[in-house]
Amino acid sequence: MSAGEEQFVDCGLRIADCGLKETRTANPKSEIRNPQFSAVLDRLYAAEMPERTDIETVLRATDDRDIELLFDFADRVRREFVGDGVLLRGIIEFSNICRNTCKYCGLNCYNTRLQRYRLTSDEILAAAENIDRAGIKTIVLQSGEEDHLEADWLRQVIEEIKGRLDVAVTLCVGERSRAEYQAWKEAGADRYLLKIETSDPGLYGELHPGMSFANRVRCLRDLVELGYQTGSGNLVGLQGQTVGSLAGDLQFFKRGNFDMISPSPFIPHPQTPLARAPAGDLTMTLKMIALARIVSRTAHIPASTAIGSLHGRDERPKALTAGANVLMPNFTPAPYRRHYEIYPNKRCVSEDAAACAGCMERMVTTLGRWVDYSRGDGPKRSLKLEV
Ligand code: SAM
Ligand code: FES
């Protein structure tokens, strides 16, 4: 058995016996169950590689009872495999400087209205210490893709954090060379997030001028091979995306056997070519989260800030009850936060970091869950990706 294959072992969880009876009693709407839809969910859960047609059936479902069944099942799988704890990851957005022209992203280099910044090492360390003081054991360092981000500078920042604090460090700084990924790993970085955004190579090329899908996959493969706990994810609702390409994204996640998976809604930004495109649909995003939970079982899945910002309502509790188990409080120093404007009206931009973490604690306990202050490492090693 190769690394990661254990996730395919069938633990026997089935819709029929996974405890949904309790939900049905609580909510009579679920009493009439669609046996064909239940069978699709069971197949998706058990499959070594989920069938595209099964995924599409779920993504196209419009009956509230089917959708409720999906979310309930994902919630049960979440409880069975990662428990009721909700992990916190403190994020520091240390630079919004970017060379890329991603058509959906407010940080794209053509956005001349954005005030650009990069934190100093001391500012990053102070923010990291704030995260540690809040009892959070993962520090996520995120930035645009800076031409001038020196690998050695970031290596020193990682070493300083790891030398001073007992925390996991997650990097999210985009596409870099294997040698740079290796240097950061050797400096102590534990994890890396690099969303595929869309697994459809044609759409990927359309949305990312000057970038290549093959290089994105090369990066993911390097990260996995170098021993990073690796995360990927997609944007839901991108212009030109189809149900078929979302189904492909889910198969991509399953093939990658990622430690973290983040499906998140697209939100249009006025200074981008997609300014007039509609935002991603909340239910479709929740369906992707639920499916990611059902097919991956053990991956850490965030209820992203974008879900909390969509349409001005905080819908993260819905994600947490549809398979998600992670929240990411923002510890970027207050003066810089509003400049990390990936999309407009981002949640928690004006809160101070401690208030943000407190608000998440309340959200979690309201759901009858608890905040897990452990590091929350990935439970498995990832498989190698094929291009
Ligand atoms: N440069 C790094 C990278 O490319 O992975 C990290 C920074 S990037 C801003 C972080 C994430 O923001 C991306 O993976 C993307 O999914 C998300 N993002 C960018 N624009 C967005 C938008 N308009 N709506 C929602 N999410 C967006
Ligand atoms: Fe570079 Fe979004 S375009 S971070």
Side-chain angles (χ1 to χ4, degrees), residues 21 27 56 109 123 133 135 168 228 246 324 334 363:
K21 287 188 194 94
N27 185 351
E56 289 188 16
C109 66
E123 286 172 316
R133 260 194 296 279
Y228 281 95
L246 285 172
M363 183 190 303

Side-chain angles (χ1 to χ4, degrees), residues 50 175 184 197 280 328 355:
E175 297 181 16
W184 297 334
E197 317 293 2
M328 300 180 74

Side-chain angles (χ1 to χ4, degrees), residues 355-370:
C356 207
C359 152
M360 291 187 185
E361 176 107 38
R362 279 192 299 282
M363 183 190 303
V364 167
T365 47
T366 304
L367 295 172
R369 307 257 289 274
W370 49 278

Side-chain angles (χ1 to χ4, degrees), residues 104-105 143 172 174 195 197 216 235 265-267 340 342-343:
Y104 46 79
C105 182
S143 71
C172 180
K195 288 167 69 166
E197 317 293 2
R216 197 84 172 168
L235 279 171
F266 157 71
I267 301 175
Y340 201 82
I342 307 174
Y343 48 80

